[in-house]
Amino acid sequence: MSCPAEVDAKTLQRRIAVEFYFDLVCPWCLIGKRQLEQAIDLLRLGYPDVEVVVQWKSLPLLPDLPLSGVPFQAFYLKRLGSASAVEARRRQVREVGLATGVEFDFEHIELMPNTIAAHRLIEHAGQSGGHALQAQLIDRLFDAFFCRNEDIGDLQVLAGIGEAFGLERARTLALLVAPMHGTPLPRWLDDARHQGIAGVPGFVLKDRVPRMGAQPPEELAMAMLKSLA
């Protein structure tokens, strides 16, 4: 008969922790999330007893944007330099996105939002319902931005989305409004810097080696499997 310590050790070996660094206005992060989910499904086919726990790590790319956002189309035109460059980038993202079941609607997005409040909503969801609720909420926020032309920088919009996931509206608004006048990101940025994450999407497994950019599901599944060893 095994002692409790031995049982605990074996149990821990069957659990994989994945840190996923993301921002909600990054299309590659949505693609990366889908690829991570596909990788988890692949892993479970061969190892159904393995539990994968994803820690959702916020890393806003544009924390200094006005809280009201800026015009989306003009933002990308300035960022990439020409309409042809914008079109080429979108074509590339769309092709990869379709392979993961994502259809981006870039042309109808009006605002590039400041995502700090949206990430605070995700943090609130984690405190209220854990990683699983966060994952669902993140999907909804990605869909709001990339497919529904909703302003995910607007606190009322965010409170309404949170309410649909069981987060009480008045409390959510109070939590979102309060920090907007303080220093918004120290803990989030510290987490990323500590792990050597300079952009998104970023993945960190047990080996603590940062994996940057969207990752093919097969490669992610193999990396997670190796982390069990």
Side-chain angles (χ1 to χ4, degrees):
M1 181 176 179
S2 299
C3 67
E6 292 174 333
V7 173
D8 289 345
K10 290 179 180 179
T11 301
L12 288 173
Q13 288 174 357
R14 310 308 293 178
R15 181 179 183 274
I16 301 172
V18 182
E19 297 177 15
F20 180 65
Y21 288 82
F22 70 100
D23 192 13
L24 296 161
V25 293
C26 169
W28 292 108
C29 289
L30 174 50
I31 291 170
K33 184 175 186 295
R34 292 287 183 271
Q35 291 175 325
L36 174 58
E37 291 163 346
Q38 292 171 2
I40 293 171
D41 289 341
L42 285 174
L43 190 67
R44 284 174 177 160
L45 286 175
Y47 301 86
D49 60 324
V50 172
E51 178 190 12
V52 180
V53 178
V54 182
Q55 298 176 10
W56 306 102
K57 297 281 190 171
S58 296
L59 185 54
L61 296 173
L62 303 164
D64 297 323
L65 276 186
L67 297 181
S68 58
V70 296
F72 179 81
Q73 307 301 336
F75 173 88
Y76 267 105
L77 186 61
K78 180 179 180 180
R79 191 178 185 90
L80 297 181
S82 69
S84 60
V86 171
E87 178 56 33
R89 178 70 59 83
R90 290 179 179 177
R91 188 183 313 115
Q92 177 193 22
V93 172
R94 279 196 173 103
E95 289 175 0
V96 181
L98 286 174
T100 61
V102 179
E103 294 187 34
F104 293 100
D105 186 12
F106 295 115
E107 285 71 25
H108 290 95
I109 300 174
E110 296 179 5
L111 284 176
M112 173 65 80
N114 184 311
T115 60
I116 292 174
H119 284 290
R120 291 198 180 281
L121 177 63
I122 294 168
E123 184 176 40
H124 174 42
Q127 293 167 350
S128 301
H131 298 310
L133 180 61
Q134 283 181 309
Q136 297 174 37
L137 179 61
I138 291 167
D139 278 338
R140 175 65 178 87
L141 291 168
F142 272 133
D143 184 61
F145 179 62
F146 285 115
C147 303
R148 301 192 186 196
N149 185 28
E150 295 177 357
D151 180 7
I152 60 171
D154 185 288
L155 301 189
Q156 294 293 341
V157 170
L158 292 174
I161 291 174
E163 192 172 26
F165 286 87
L167 302 176
E168 199 273 322
R169 187 183 187 95
R171 173 167 169 75
T172 297
L173 276 172
L175 290 170
L176 296 182
V177 169
M180 300 309 288
H181 302 292
T183 303
L185 300 175
R187 182 179 57 77
W188 296 343
L189 292 180
D190 283 348
D191 284 353
R193 291 185 184 123
H194 180 70
Q195 298 297 345
I197 300 291
V200 290
F203 302 83
V204 178
L205 303 177
K206 185 179 179 181
D207 58 13
R208 313 315 296 173
V209 176
R211 292 169 171 83
M212 305 304 302
Q215 303 279 318
E218 297 79 8
E219 292 183 14
L220 268 178
M222 184 60 67
M224 288 190 289
L225 184 59
K226 287 180 179 178
S227 74
L228 283 175

